Amino acid sequence: MPSPLFDTATPLAPLRAELDAAIARVVDSGKYILGPEVSAFEREFAGYCGARHAIGVANGTEALTIALRSLGVGPGDEVVVPSFTFYASAEAIPPTGARPVFCDVDRETFCVTPDTVRAALTPRTKAVIVVHLFGNVAPVAEIEALGVPVIEDAAQAAGSTARDGRPGALGTLASFSFFPSKNLGCFGDGGAITTRDDELADRIRMLRFHGSWDKVTYEHVGYNSRLDELQAAILRVQLPHLDTWADGRRAAAQHYEDAGLGELVELPRPVAGARPAWHLYVVRSERADELAAALRAAGHGYKAYYRTPVHLQPAMREYAGDADLPATTEVARTHLAIPISPVLTAELAAEVVSAAREAGLAVAY
Ligand SMILES: Cc1ncc(COP(=O)(O)O)c(C=O)c1O
């Protein structure tokens, strides 16, 4: 049976009546912006993450920009960010006036490490954006110990855990995206910023509403960037199921291992102490194109997400300098996402693995 790259519909099907009721509740309330649903979701999501505050914003990209602004990042500053990530992780930096400085990742975890971040630090570094890529969890505490505030880009890591807590509560600030395909996704765009710091939380609330503390006087140039009531109500229905879905994603990864996928390609390695809720299940192979062709022939989903890393994208040319990022170059060439979802069965995983096996792949590293 063909397996899609991801399946957002099946896990939501049993929640349909609850979702319909939540949507009707908002429509009937007549409150659509910054009302009780957003407040309740912010409370519930902060509690889930183990952060003191969650502030709903319009999307995960603006969550990063606003998080940077709340730290006072501006012209003349540098922000370290990996190049092997979704473009938005770096795109969020220039609107603050600061420059992205690209760092490398670990080829087995796809995440930054204290060493790759240290290599990119300068006296102008004001913050580091650490991406929990594909649901893995980067070692935030070790990186923050380098002496710079860390913003976790947790867009892909809702539901994951680390030794010392959940994404969202590991660094100074964290950003989330609730884009529909994410581990926790709404029915449009949405995002949030979490922090344990009361002062940063106040500043973020001010920045998301046009830079005004009291909605009368406008002291800062801010943003119109809010999670809306409908999306918050939809997220509140889903949040209690996030851990079950995360378990399903981990079980799917285990099905791949049990079916022998590790004999054919390099499997993603969790960062020490992390239990990733794999948002994407990304393997590596020198023969990634042949793997893609074999999966296509069998009707399975696959995708190479970041063949051109961010520092080589045209819009980032002025910031890339002579960045030498060997692991980024390698994983950009060799990675391939294969089907993953909270409901991927052992049978489907075995079919994907047998399609890969028929292509005659073997671990080449
Ligand atoms: C790692 C990462 N950062 C940032 C974003 C941006 O989120 P959004 O699409 O909600 O702006 C995404 C997702 O799209 C992402 O995957």
Side-chain angles (χ1 to χ4, degrees):
M1 207 167 91
S3 186
L5 185 56
F6 46 79
D7 178 357
T8 47
T10 307
L12 287 184
L15 303 181
R16 181 59 193 255
E18 253 188 281
L19 288 164
D20 285 348
I23 291 166
R25 186 170 73 231
V26 174
V27 172
D28 291 343
S29 77
K31 295 198 183 91
Y32 305 123
I33 300 285
L34 294 185
E37 299 288 343
V38 169
S39 300
F41 175 70
E42 289 178 340
R43 239 182 356 261
E44 290 158 11
F45 192 60
Y48 174 84
C49 294
R52 276 170 68 81
H53 304 276
I55 302 105
V57 293
N59 55 64
T61 310
E62 289 186 354
L64 280 170
T65 302
I66 293 171
L68 289 165
R69 284 280 309 279
S70 75
L71 285 174
V73 170
D77 295 331
E78 293 178 354
V79 177
V80 174
V81 65
S83 172
F84 190 68
T85 178
F86 179 52
Y87 175 68
S89 305
E91 182 193 26
I93 300 167
T96 67
R99 292 176 66 85
V101 174
F102 293 100
C103 74
D104 214 350
V105 291
D106 178 283
R107 43 171 69 70
E108 294 185 332
T109 66
F110 302 111
C111 287
V112 300
T113 70
D115 286 341
T116 67
V117 169
R118 193 184 292 108
L121 295 178
T122 78
R124 288 182 297 281
T125 309
K126 194 77 183 265
V128 178
I129 294 176
V130 156
V131 183
H132 297 316
L133 201 67
F134 305 143
N136 215 342
V137 188
V140 174
E142 289 95 315
I143 292 167
E144 206 145 43
L146 299 173
V148 241
V150 165
I151 299 175
E152 303 172 65
D153 180 344
Q156 300 187 5
S160 298
T161 60
R163 216 181 341 236
D164 41 353
R166 289 185 186 280
L170 305 174
T172 298
L173 290 154
S175 65
F176 288 86
S177 164
F178 304 126
F179 187 81
S181 62
K182 296 292 193 257
N183 291 359
L184 179 66
C186 59
F187 295 172
D189 277 309
I193 304 167
T194 57
T195 183
R196 72 175 78 87
D197 186 308
D198 298 346
E199 222 172 282
L200 288 176
D202 281 349
R203 235 177 279 158
I204 290 161
R205 288 202 176 86
M206 174 273 286
L207 285 167
R208 82 169 163 184
F209 191 92
H210 304 284
S212 175
W213 296 102
D214 59 3
K215 304 184 180 167
V216 176
T217 305
Y218 298 87
E219 283 180 32
H220 301 270
V221 175
Y223 305 84
N224 175 5
S225 186
R226 293 155 330 208
L227 182 69
D228 65 63
E229 286 285 289
L230 266 177
Q231 303 306 340
I234 288 160
L235 289 165
R236 291 185 68 203
V237 174
Q238 296 187 51
L239 183 59
H241 302 276
L242 181 55
D243 280 343
T244 307
W245 293 338
D247 285 342
R249 291 174 180 279
R250 281 187 282 271
Q254 190 61 50
H255 296 326
Y256 279 132
E257 283 192 45
D258 295 346
L261 185 61
E263 297 155 19
L264 312 177
V265 295
E266 293 289 343
L267 304 181
R269 186 169 59 77
V271 171
R275 295 180 69 237
W278 297 111
H279 170 58
L280 297 170
Y281 197 73
V282 177
V283 301
R284 290 176 296 133
S285 170
E286 287 294 337
R287 295 164 61 190
D289 290 345
E290 287 167 68
L291 173 59
L295 296 180
R296 184 168 54 243
H300 301 307
Y302 64 88
K303 186 166 173 177
Y305 274 84
Y306 313 127
R307 273 286 177 266
T308 304
V310 180
H311 75 289
L312 299 180
Q313 295 292 346
M316 291 291 144
R317 215 170 275 142
E318 68 173 291
Y319 306 116
D322 53 0
D324 176 27
L325 309 172
T328 295
T329 305
E330 181 186 317
V331 297
R333 180 171 52 79
T334 59
H335 79 283
L336 196 74
I338 66 172
I340 187 85
S341 84
V343 291
L344 188 100
T345 61
E347 291 69 32
L348 278 179
E351 287 187 31
V352 171
V353 173
S354 92
R357 205 180 290 282
E358 275 162 32
L361 297 171
V363 168
Y365 284 85

